[in-house]
């Protein structure tokens, strides 16, 4: 059982470049989300989805796009990378329900030069 | 302003000793409080989930307590092991099925032999 799989593990970009962080889950969870984790701060929600075809913005959505064409996949796109987007990115999924736990991927460490 | 504050920021303990981590929150309304363990280079993993009506929840050597009146929670680690070295994150959910969680910045625990 793979759980939540993120790729790549590490990525270095130049300012202005675009890229897509991949996230896939095999638990048939309806809810998926993207977070960024910066030193000294709690995880912050970028975008989330409550099912295929449905996405919404979180706390820090600017500079990022998402889509949810299938239940399994939830890619995060950086449109034009900026140094402020240097961070560790985590994808998470949730089965729904009041007291269920989030399942996190292992993260993508992104550096924008 | 972060609505979830954790203390201390970091601590070092000797193997076999106990320690207690603190979490204060101002999130309102409040549905449940979660503790996650995050090993270096990995995604967070759920330890406990407590609703507002629960005072304590255990998971092996980890015991979480909750005082919803004072909006405080603690995580107690008993007989620490080297594998307990990690960051421990307090997470508050504002209301049922609201996935916009509030994350604390975490407490980094280092266990030394």
């Amino acid at each position: 059982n793979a759980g939540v799989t993120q790729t790549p593990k590490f990525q270095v970009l130049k300012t202005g470049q675009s890229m897509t962080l991949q996230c896939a889950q095999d638990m048939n969870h309806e809810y998926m989300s993207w977070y960024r984790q910066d030193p000294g701060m709690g995880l912050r929600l970028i975008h989330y989805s409550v099912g295929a075809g449905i996405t919404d913005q979180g706390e820090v959505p600017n500079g990022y796009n998402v889509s949810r064409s299938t239940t399994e996949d939830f890619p995060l796109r950086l449109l034009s990378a900026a140094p402020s987007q240097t961070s560790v990115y985590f994808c998470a999924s949730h089965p729904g329900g009041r007291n269920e736990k989030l399942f996190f991927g292992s993260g993508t460490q992104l550096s924008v030069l | 302003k972060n609505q979830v504050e954790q203390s201390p920021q970091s601590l070092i303990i000797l193997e076999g000793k106990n320690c207690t981590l603190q979490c204060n929150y101002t999130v309102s309304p409040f549905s449940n409080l979660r503790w996650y363990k995050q090993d270096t280079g990995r995604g967070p993993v759920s330890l406990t989930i407590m609703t507002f009506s629960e005072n304590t929840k255990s998971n092996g050597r980890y015991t979480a307590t909750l005082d919803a009146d004072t909006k405080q929670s603690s995580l107690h680690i008993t007989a620490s092991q080297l594998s307990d070295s990690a960051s421990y994150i307090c997470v508050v959910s504002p209301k049922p099925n609201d996935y916009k969680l509030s994350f604390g910045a975490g407490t980094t625990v280092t266990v030394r032999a």
Side-chain angles (χ1 to χ4, degrees):
Chain A
N1 193 347
V4 179
T5 303
Q6 286 185 240
T7 56
K9 183 71 172 177
F10 302 95
Q11 183 70 50
V12 179
L13 293 177
K14 293 181 180 179
T15 297
Q17 287 185 317
S18 62
M19 78 157 297
T20 299
L21 307 184
Q22 301 292 342
C23 176
Q25 53 94 7
D26 61 359
M27 297 173 283
N28 201 33
H29 289 173
E30 288 298 319
Y31 174 80
M32 295 185 74
S33 54
W34 277 100
Y35 294 88
R36 60 178 289 172
Q37 186 175 41
D38 299 296
M41 301 180 68
L43 277 80
R44 292 182 292 169
L45 182 64
I46 304 172
H47 286 285
Y48 67 98
S49 169
V50 296
I54 305 169
T55 63
D56 205 349
Q57 296 180 349
E59 180 184 357
V60 287
N62 292 340
Y64 308 96
N65 271 358
V66 292
S67 60
R68 185 94 180 272
S69 57
T70 67
T71 298
E72 294 78 20
D73 300 299
F74 190 44
L76 178 72
R77 298 183 186 85
L78 278 70
L79 308 174
S80 178
S84 61
Q85 293 179 305
T86 294
S87 186
V88 181
Y89 291 85
F90 288 98
C91 178
S93 72
H94 187 285
R98 182 172 177 168
N99 296 316
E100 293 293 335
K101 57 187 176 183
L102 277 170
F103 292 82
F104 286 88
S106 58
T108 295
Q109 186 169 323
L110 176 67
S111 295
V112 182
L113 306 178
Chain B
K1 185 182 186 302
N2 197 340
Q3 300 183 70
V4 180
E5 300 289 343
Q6 292 188 243
S7 62
Q9 186 174 19
S10 63
L11 64 93
I12 300 172
I13 58 173
L14 293 176
E15 188 177 15
K17 300 297 186 181
N18 304 334
C19 68
T20 300
L21 316 179
Q22 300 293 338
C23 174
N24 296 335
Y25 63 92
T26 58
V27 176
S28 182
F30 165 77
S31 176
N32 63 56
L33 185 144
R34 311 152 187 242
W35 283 94
Y36 282 81
K37 178 186 180 187
Q38 184 176 21
D39 292 317
T40 301
R42 307 296 298 272
V45 175
S46 179
L47 290 176
T48 63
I49 300 175
M50 291 182 292
T51 67
F52 62 88
S53 61
E54 295 178 293
N55 299 119
T56 185
K57 183 71 70 77
S58 291
N59 180 356
R61 295 179 295 100
Y62 300 102
T63 300
T65 63
L66 173 64
D67 186 334
D69 291 331
T70 62
K71 299 187 176 182
Q72 296 179 326
S73 177
S74 64
L75 181 69
H76 187 74
I77 304 175
T78 303
S80 61
Q81 300 177 358
L82 297 179
S83 60
D84 293 330
S85 294
S87 178
Y88 293 84
I89 302 172
C90 177
V91 186
V92 178
S93 176
K95 53 187 175 182
N97 297 328
D98 185 338
Y99 303 113
K100 296 181 181 178
L101 309 176
S102 294
F103 289 78
T107 293
T108 300
V109 174
T110 302
V111 181
R112 292 190 173 161

